[in-house]
Amino acid sequence: MSLSIGALARQAGVAIDTVRYYERKGLLAPAGRLASGYRRYGIEEIKQLRFIRRAKALGFSLDDIRELLAVSAERDVARVRRAAQHKLGEIEQRIAELEGIRVGLRALIDECPGHGHADACPILNALSKEPDV
Amino acid sequence: MSLSIGALARQAGVAIDTVRYYERKGLLAPAGRLASGYRRYGIEEIKQLRFIRRAKALGFSLDDIRELLAVSAERDVARVRRAAQHKLGEIEQRIAELEGIRVGLRALIDECPGHGHADACPILNALSKEPDV
DNA sequence: CTTGACTCTGGACCTAGGTGCAGGGTGCAA
DNA sequence: TTGCACCCTGCACCTAGGTCCAGAGTCAAG
């Protein structure tokens, strides 16, 4: 059984252009071709595209994923685990940043009466006042 | 007292190109000019650039900030507060997404022994297995 | 008057992850 | 044979928020 690029894209839930883009970026090996030049795919490529989708959903970049695919082909479990841990660290850091912003913004909103003088609005004051951030 | 673009950029802690970029984008009004064409700035612009920096640090995009500047010039406290609340909602949503990812990734890492067969690696399995996400 | 630092404009370039298009060829069913 | 859906390549374009550059003009100190 073999698939056209359109059929593959449908099966994997991505756009045709995305499949070609991933090939250019090295996330998919160059596809086999018919005499006409049409790409042909098998079951493996569906799996690989789904792998890519799931890894993206976990926050991995395409560069990360190319690494991950190489490492998983080597069946190097320890490296896969380290990569996952590294990504987890990045995600936790991003969460911490956003938490800081959330707390700051929440405090300003809670202090702001939502009416009255602009000079008394803690949001505008926080953004405008002298002391440097 | 008046400032060249370079002096302004130093005072505000941004790059010269960024000042011109903000002018193009409508975050700064077109500067006054000397006969030579050189831009001249006053104290107001330092404050405004610092306002922009702080708002960016709170997660506002440049488009948001242009709005915020217009609204704050109107001294419309209620709208400023609504804008802040809206942004807070976006940030909380983003945090929730990242939390979901964090939990998923943490669970996979905790289950992964970090050695042994790739077939038994929960990370690779989660990425590869059939059921669609 | 010269020198070095500064400024002007317009436009190209960067990252990430694609999307869209033109102009052409292919596959298949009626 | 016609008609339509599909596929090919290469390139331009998109968002966001800038950064960098060439080539030319300006300012101020010595």
Side-chain angles (χ1 to χ4, degrees):
Chain A
M1 172 215 178
S2 101
L3 298 162
S4 69
I5 191 170
L8 171 66
R10 268 192 303 278
Q11 294 286 318
V14 302
I16 289 179
D17 282 340
T18 301
V19 175
R20 287 194 280 246
Y21 177 72
Y22 286 171
E23 182 178 311
R24 277 206 304 287
K25 286 286 166 174
L27 279 90
L28 287 171
R33 302 285 184 133
L34 297 181
S36 60
Y38 282 26
R39 291 173 179 81
R40 281 282 118 176
Y41 296 96
I43 298 297
E44 281 312 301
E45 280 91 349
I46 301 179
K47 289 187 189 164
Q48 186 146 340
L49 279 174
R50 290 184 176 164
F51 183 106
I52 294 170
R53 270 186 36 194
R54 293 193 183 105
K56 257 161 43 78
L58 285 176
F60 291 93
S61 70
L62 296 191
D63 278 356
D64 294 335
I65 295 170
R66 186 173 36 235
E67 273 292 299
L68 217 43
L69 285 165
V71 165
S72 87
E74 289 166 17
R75 312 183 83 60
D76 184 341
V77 175
R79 266 181 77 188
V80 170
R81 189 167 189 274
R82 277 200 301 280
Q85 264 170 333
H86 182 73
K87 182 54 61 180
L88 179 61
E90 287 177 16
I91 287 167
E92 287 177 340
Q93 199 174 338
R94 184 72 185 124
I95 290 174
E97 279 170 33
L98 288 174
E99 279 293 345
I101 291 171
R102 186 178 71 75
V103 167
L105 209 44
R106 159 71 65 208
L108 292 177
I109 292 168
D110 287 350
E111 279 174 50
C112 178
H115 55 79
H117 258 282
D119 294 338
C121 174
I123 300 170
L124 291 178
N125 285 342
L127 292 170
S128 303
K129 280 280 155 57
E130 306 301 317
D132 219 354
V133 178
Chain B
M1 172 218 181
S2 101
L3 298 161
S4 69
I5 191 171
L8 172 66
R10 269 192 302 280
Q11 294 287 317
V14 303
I16 289 179
D17 281 341
T18 301
V19 176
R20 287 194 281 245
Y21 177 71
Y22 286 171
E23 181 178 311
R24 277 206 304 287
K25 286 286 166 174
L27 278 91
L28 288 171
R33 303 287 184 130
L34 297 180
S36 61
Y38 281 26
R39 291 172 180 81
R40 282 280 119 176
Y41 296 96
I43 297 297
E44 280 313 300
E45 280 90 349
I46 301 178
K47 288 188 190 166
Q48 187 147 340
L49 279 173
R50 289 185 176 164
F51 182 106
I52 293 169
R53 270 186 38 193
R54 293 192 183 106
K56 257 160 44 76
L58 286 177
F60 290 92
S61 70
L62 297 191
D63 278 356
D64 294 336
I65 295 170
R66 185 172 38 233
E67 273 292 300
L68 217 43
L69 285 165
V71 165
S72 86
E74 289 166 17
R75 312 184 82 60
D76 184 341
V77 175
R79 267 181 78 186
V80 170
R81 191 168 188 273
R82 277 201 301 280
Q85 264 171 334
H86 182 73
K87 183 54 62 180
L88 179 61
E90 286 177 16
I91 287 167
E92 286 177 340
Q93 198 174 337
R94 183 75 185 122
I95 289 173
E97 279 172 31
L98 288 174
E99 278 294 344
I101 291 171
R102 186 179 70 76
V103 167
L105 208 45
R106 159 72 64 211
L108 291 176
I109 291 168
D110 287 349
E111 278 175 50
C112 179
H115 55 79
H117 260 281
D119 295 337
C121 172
I123 300 170
L124 291 177
N125 286 341
L127 292 171
S128 303
K129 279 281 156 52
E130 307 302 318
D132 218 355
V133 178

